[in-house]
Amino acid sequence: MDPKRRRTGPWCPAAASRSAVASESRCPQNTEASLMVSQRESLVQSSPSLGTQKGLWGTTLTENTAENRELYVKTTLRELLVYIVFLVDICLLTYGMTSSSAYYYTKVMSELFLHTPSDTGVSFQAISSMADFWDFAQGPLLDSLYWTKWYNNQSLGHGSHSFIYYENLLLGVPRLRQLRVRNDSCVVHEDFREDILSCYDVYSPDKEEQLPFGPLNGTAWTYHSQDELGGSSHWGRLTSYSGGGYYLDLPGSRQASAEALQDLQEGLWLDRGTRVVFIDFSVYNANINLFCVLRLVVEFPATGGAIPSWQIRTVKLIRYVSNWDFFIIVCEIIFCVFIFYYVVEEILELHIHQFRYLRSIWNILDLVVILLSIVAVGFHIFRTLEVNRLMGKLLQQPNTYADFEFLAFWQTQYNNMNAVNLFFAWIKIFKYISFNKTMTQLSSTLARCAKDILGFAVMFFIVFFAYAQLGYLLFGTQVENFSTFIKCIFTQFRIILGDFDYNAIDNANRILGPAYFVTYVFFVFFVLLNMFLAIINDTYSEVKEELAGQKDELQLSDLLKQGYNKTLLRLRLRKERVSDVQKVLQGGEQEIQFEDFTNTLRELGHAEHEITELTAAFTRFDQDGNHILDKKEQEQMQQDLEEKRVALNAEIENLGRSIVSSPPGELCPEATRAGGWVSGEEFYTLTRRVLHLETVLEGVMSQVDAVGSKLKMLERKGQLALSPGMGDQGAWEHLQPAPAMTPAP
């Protein structure tokens, strides 16, 4: 074979174990079915700076794995194992911030404050007017807020503190706050100006009333801005409201609070200008270490009436209390280490590939997960400091309003961000398993049909939005599900899934209602939806057919099998060496010379490097150092070898069934498909020769490295000056060392 000829195609590991006829065929290049591998190879081939080992941060994008499938699989496996540890850690952190008691805590609070009726039968959810609001505020609200006695009228013994349901401490005092609009916020038509003297528009920040009203005494009748109250905006059922307004902090006892509410009612605190009232308070349960921040909202629209809504946020603001919390601290430290590890890894990959790195969706997903994780760490530090500040303020002034609403809101957003981050972290697993033919079917199908789906989406949403506008204009004034355009969109998605109220549509319009419903179901459900499924199904069939026609490349399962077989074979070779040494010792001689020992091993077919390893055992038991094993020394060596043999047998049994005794179909699937298979004994013999050849090649490579070092040294010293007639071959022969030992055929 000409040494100058080079193989340009990628090496095919699967073909190495096939028959001679099958091994002549070349491995096919990846097609669309291996989309992620293709993107990786294009990045690697377009980055000439690859080739240097990155050590701990070596990945498939920093190592030159384009021409080495085995290196690619091994690197991917290492990345997968590291990422699984990271995924387990982030799962522990995310679930460590939640509690199984949070749902029941929310349920108990909602039943108490939302469903408890007054003497007139009005609960918070049933509020429909201002009169109903005052009935609820002076009855169920005060009864639910202030628990100072047991059910037998005996004092709880906690002073003036209220313990709701005897377990939940009311933090500070509750706060009532309202927002109003100006009298001149809208214009009355000239035909009605004599009868209608005032006009109050729907709420908006530019129409908000900021002048004092009523008795003009106290905070309840004086406007305070959002900055003065330290509040935040609220998104209600009708619109978004600012964090300012007119507020009243209820006193610490039920009697004083009832008197304060009575004064507000008599002073007409709620009138035509009122657009929303907020009731804010917070409770803490030390048994489960959870805060429950409640906000009861009653909106008074310009149409009249009242619309109640609520927000109950159960959050864990104090983190480190129990033993589990201290375990979470360890997980947080590990999480920070992982973030540092992945930040360095991303910097290396961006440095190598630059903007080409952003062509892959998986690389973008890596950046998203890292950025969200960094934001989570920053918010965690902020939340800890802010809780300490609020708790310190509350302890110094226990009779003031404890504003945990802002912190609970951002804690909820923090939990939502962690949930999204954890979702992306799980999806990222596909990055490491997509090199497998089976696992790549999903990504390949979606990538191939992306253009068809995009064209279909344009057609689908034209029809979909046309029906949404039709439904909004036809039924918007009578059917709640069609009252806004956004609700129309979600309602039509629900119709596709079979969740709809046909009677409401039919009652709203007896003629156009059924026509809208029948045509929408026919065109969207029966036609467009089935077209979408047909696009996916046809593309999946094509991808699956291509994958079935491809030749097998080295897969992760093949790498694991190779490691298993290699480990098992090495154990068998060690067992065979022990058995041969035992045969030498069982010769019955009183004394064994060192030369006789080595000659006998050569006769049994052992190579020189194997004999060198075995003579080390001879020297270890030759206690007097005379290169002769007497009877006592032979017995000690025999006992030691027997223990090693038993240990090796146990290891082989633990590894499972030997590959030598495997059925023909399990020994080598590639060879079986090629038309034949070898026996276990032949396979065992060939494998021994391969291992021996590896040993010889290692010696050859070390000699080649020595020659290369010598060449570099001579070049630096200027002693290597080639004559004009002397070529590279002459220089090589001049520096060539003694010929290496080659294995016998």
Side-chain angles (χ1 to χ4, degrees):
M1 180 179 178
D2 187 358
K4 295 183 179 180
R5 293 181 59 188
R6 296 182 179 178
R7 178 171 56 84
T8 57
W11 176 67
C12 185
S17 60
R18 299 179 190 269
S19 63
V21 177
S23 62
E24 294 177 359
S25 60
R26 297 175 61 90
C27 283
Q29 298 290 336
N30 286 327
T31 60
E32 260 184 274
S34 300
L35 178 64
M36 196 203 73
V37 179
S38 318
Q39 294 175 347
R40 177 190 59 81
E41 290 181 350
S42 64
L43 279 176
V44 171
Q45 292 171 358
S46 61
S47 302
S49 59
L50 292 180
T52 58
Q53 295 288 335
K54 300 300 179 184
L56 181 62
W57 286 278
T59 65
T60 55
L61 294 180
T62 59
E63 304 288 353
N64 191 6
T65 59
E67 297 295 332
N68 192 335
R69 178 72 178 179
E70 184 175 1
L71 177 60
Y72 168 66
V73 175
K74 288 183 178 179
T75 306
T76 304
L77 178 60
R78 182 181 60 81
E79 289 185 66
L80 177 60
L81 294 178
V82 173
Y83 186 75
I84 288 177
V85 178
F86 169 74
L87 188 60
V88 171
D89 184 69
I90 194 176
C91 287
L92 289 174
L93 287 179
T94 304
Y95 289 105
M97 294 182 298
T98 61
S99 173
S100 58
S101 304
Y103 167 75
Y104 299 102
Y105 197 12
T106 304
K107 184 174 181 291
V108 166
M109 292 294 106
S110 63
E111 289 179 351
L112 177 63
F113 289 97
L114 304 181
H115 303 288
T116 303
S118 64
D119 295 337
T120 58
V122 177
S123 64
F124 179 79
Q125 289 183 329
I127 292 177
S128 59
S129 64
M130 294 182 180
D132 291 342
F133 173 81
W134 290 117
D135 287 342
F136 166 78
Q138 296 176 347
L141 178 62
L142 295 181
D143 294 338
S144 302
L145 283 175
Y146 298 102
W147 293 55
T148 57
K149 296 182 180 181
W150 286 97
Y151 49 85
N152 61 356
N153 209 27
Q154 183 179 351
S155 176
L156 290 177
H158 296 288
S160 61
H161 294 293
S162 173
F163 282 83
I164 301 174
Y165 279 126
Y166 316 116
E167 301 290 349
N168 307 283
L169 173 64
L170 178 63
L171 300 176
V173 297
R175 169 173 289 183
L176 271 70
R177 178 172 61 92
Q178 74 156 313
L179 288 172
R180 304 170 55 85
V181 293
R182 297 190 304 270
N183 184 11
D184 58 349
S185 55
C186 55
V187 178
V188 180
H189 193 272
E190 58 182 7
D191 294 340
F192 298 95
R193 288 178 182 173
E194 295 182 359
D195 299 324
I196 303 176
L197 303 179
S198 58
C199 182
Y200 297 89
D201 201 355
V202 297
Y203 175 84
S204 63
D206 59 319
K207 299 176 182 178
E208 187 175 310
E209 177 66 86
Q210 298 183 359
L211 297 177
F213 74 103
L216 305 179
N217 57 343
T219 59
W221 312 96
T222 307
Y223 179 82
H224 297 79
S225 65
Q226 178 173 318
D227 295 334
E228 293 175 346
L229 297 180
S232 57
S233 60
H234 175 83
W235 189 10
R237 293 286 182 88
L238 301 178
T239 185
S240 179
Y241 302 96
S242 69
Y246 306 83
Y247 76 94
L248 171 67
D249 290 339
L250 296 180
S253 65
R254 189 192 188 287
Q255 181 64 27
S257 298
E259 293 176 358
L261 291 177
Q262 185 66 28
D263 292 341
L264 293 182
Q265 183 180 8
E266 293 177 356
L268 202 63
W269 193 59
L270 302 181
D271 57 12
R272 291 183 58 193
T274 302
R275 285 295 170 260
V276 65
V277 175
F278 299 95
I279 305 175
D280 296 313
F281 56 93
S282 303
V283 295
Y284 172 70
N285 191 306
N287 301 330
I288 55 179
N289 188 28
L290 289 178
F291 288 80
C292 189
V293 182
L294 296 93
R295 167 168 284 184
L296 307 181
V297 184
V298 181
E299 297 175 81
F300 299 96
T303 59
I307 302 175
S309 60
W310 58 90
Q311 280 186 353
I312 302 178
R313 294 190 174 100
T314 301
V315 292
K316 186 176 183 180
L317 298 178
I318 301 178
R319 294 299 305 275
Y320 310 119
V321 177
S322 62
N323 294 330
W324 170 256
D325 295 332
F326 291 110
F327 170 74
I328 294 297
I329 293 180
V330 179
C331 295
E332 289 174 351
I333 296 174
I334 297 175
F335 179 76
C336 293
V337 173
F338 270 111
I339 294 303
F340 173 76
Y341 171 82
Y342 283 118
V343 166
V344 175
E345 181 181 286
E346 296 300 317
I347 291 175
L348 291 175
E349 292 177 351
L350 283 169
H351 174 70
I352 293 173
H353 303 287
Q354 298 178 357
F355 291 105
R356 295 187 301 273
Y357 178 79
L358 301 177
R359 294 177 183 175
S360 173
I361 186 64
W362 299 113
N363 298 335
I364 297 176
L365 188 61
D366 290 344
L367 296 176
V368 170
V369 172
I370 292 174
L371 291 177
L372 289 178
S373 301
I374 294 175
V375 172
V377 173
F379 180 82
H380 178 72
I381 298 174
F382 164 76
R383 186 268 316 278
T384 303
L385 298 177
E386 188 67 13
V387 169
N388 293 334
R389 185 188 67 83
L390 287 176
M391 294 303 296
K393 179 181 177 182
L394 183 62
L395 291 175
Q396 294 177 358
Q397 301 175 350
N399 294 324
T400 59
Y401 169 65
D403 188 10
F404 284 91
E405 173 62 30
F406 173 78
L407 197 58
F409 170 78
W410 285 109
Q411 177 66 31
T412 304
Q413 306 310 314
Y414 172 69
N415 294 339
N416 296 338
M417 182 187 66
N418 286 334
V420 174
N421 193 23
L422 184 60
F423 170 78
F424 286 146
W426 276 101
I427 296 299
K428 187 182 170 182
I429 294 182
F430 284 102
K431 173 183 178 181
Y432 301 107
I433 63 177
S434 293
F435 65 87
N436 184 277
K437 286 202 311 182
T438 303
M439 298 299 179
T440 194
Q441 291 181 6
L442 174 62
S443 59
S444 301
T445 302
L446 295 179
R448 179 171 295 188
C449 66
K451 294 182 180 179
D452 295 335
I453 292 179
L454 182 61
F456 167 80
V458 174
M459 175 178 61
F460 174 82
F461 283 108
I462 289 176
V463 177
F464 187 82
F465 284 122
Y467 272 100
Q469 294 182 19
L470 177 63
Y472 173 66
L473 296 176
L474 290 178
F475 319 117
T477 59
Q478 302 182 54
V479 182
E480 181 181 2
N481 291 333
F482 291 87
S483 58
T484 64
F485 184 72
I486 301 298
K487 287 186 177 181
C488 287
I489 293 175
F490 286 104
T491 300
Q492 292 190 157
F493 279 117
R494 290 169 55 188
I495 292 177
I496 295 177
L497 299 176
D499 180 17
F500 56 86
D501 186 3
Y502 174 76
N503 291 329
I505 298 175
D506 182 61
N507 293 333
N509 196 315
R510 294 293 182 88
I511 299 176
L512 296 180
Y516 162 85
F517 180 79
V518 172
T519 56
Y520 174 78
V521 170
F522 176 78
F523 285 109
V524 176
F525 184 78
F526 289 107
V527 178
L528 295 180
L529 186 61
N530 283 281
M531 285 180 60
F532 174 76
L533 297 177
I535 293 173
I536 299 292
N537 189 38
D538 292 344
T539 308
Y540 176 75
S541 300
E542 295 176 3
V543 170
K544 193 172 183 180
E545 183 178 355
E546 284 189 5
L547 290 176
Q550 285 185 2
K551 294 183 179 180
D552 292 334
E553 289 183 330
L554 182 66
Q555 304 293 336
L556 180 60
S557 58
D558 299 330
L559 188 65
L560 297 177
K561 289 179 182 178
Q562 287 180 6
Y564 166 79
N565 293 338
K566 193 171 183 180
T567 302
L568 188 60
L569 186 59
R570 291 187 182 277
L571 289 175
R572 288 185 169 274
L573 291 177
R574 288 176 57 190
K575 180 182 176 184
E576 182 179 320
R577 295 175 188 174
V578 172
S579 300
D580 289 344
V581 175
Q582 286 180 329
K583 291 178 182 179
V584 176
L585 295 177
Q586 292 173 358
E589 299 180 3
Q590 294 295 328
E591 295 181 348
I592 299 178
Q593 299 286 339
F594 180 78
E595 295 180 358
D596 297 338
F597 181 80
T598 56
N599 292 334
T600 305
L601 292 177
R602 288 190 184 92
E603 293 175 359
L604 291 175
H606 288 275
E608 290 298 328
H609 70 279
E610 296 177 344
I611 296 175
T612 304
E613 296 177 2
L614 295 175
T615 52
F618 184 97
T619 306
R620 182 161 57 90
F621 287 96
D622 185 14
Q623 299 177 357
D624 50 9
N626 58 356
H627 295 282
I628 298 175
L629 290 181
D630 55 21
K631 194 66 175 178
K632 182 180 179 181
E633 293 172 343
Q634 292 182 37
E635 290 177 357
Q636 293 177 355
M637 189 173 182
Q638 181 75 20
Q639 183 180 359
D640 183 74
L641 291 173
E642 181 64 23
E643 293 176 357
K644 289 184 178 180
R645 188 184 66 82
V646 173
L648 288 172
N649 282 334
E651 289 187 35
I652 293 174
E653 291 177 0
N654 291 335
L655 279 175
R657 186 172 52 185
S658 172
I659 57 173
V660 177
S661 59
S662 298
E666 296 181 2
L667 275 174
C668 185
E670 292 85 356
T672 302
R673 289 194 295 268
W677 60 282
V678 296
S679 65
E681 183 178 357
E682 293 173 339
F683 179 78
Y684 182 66
T685 303
L686 292 173
T687 309
R688 284 198 59 189
R689 292 181 180 177
V690 170
L691 292 176
H692 179 63
L693 184 59
E694 285 182 356
T695 305
V696 175
L697 289 176
E698 288 177 0
V700 174
M701 292 303 297
S702 63
Q703 294 181 6
V704 171
D705 293 338
V707 171
S709 301
K710 188 175 180 181
L711 281 171
K712 292 180 180 179
M713 182 176 63
L714 292 176
E715 287 179 357
R716 288 196 298 268
K717 293 181 178 181
Q719 297 178 4
L720 184 61
L722 299 178
S723 60
M726 184 178 180
D728 294 341
Q729 186 66 23
W732 172 259
E733 293 175 355
H734 177 70
L735 295 170
Q736 188 174 11
M741 180 184 66
T742 57

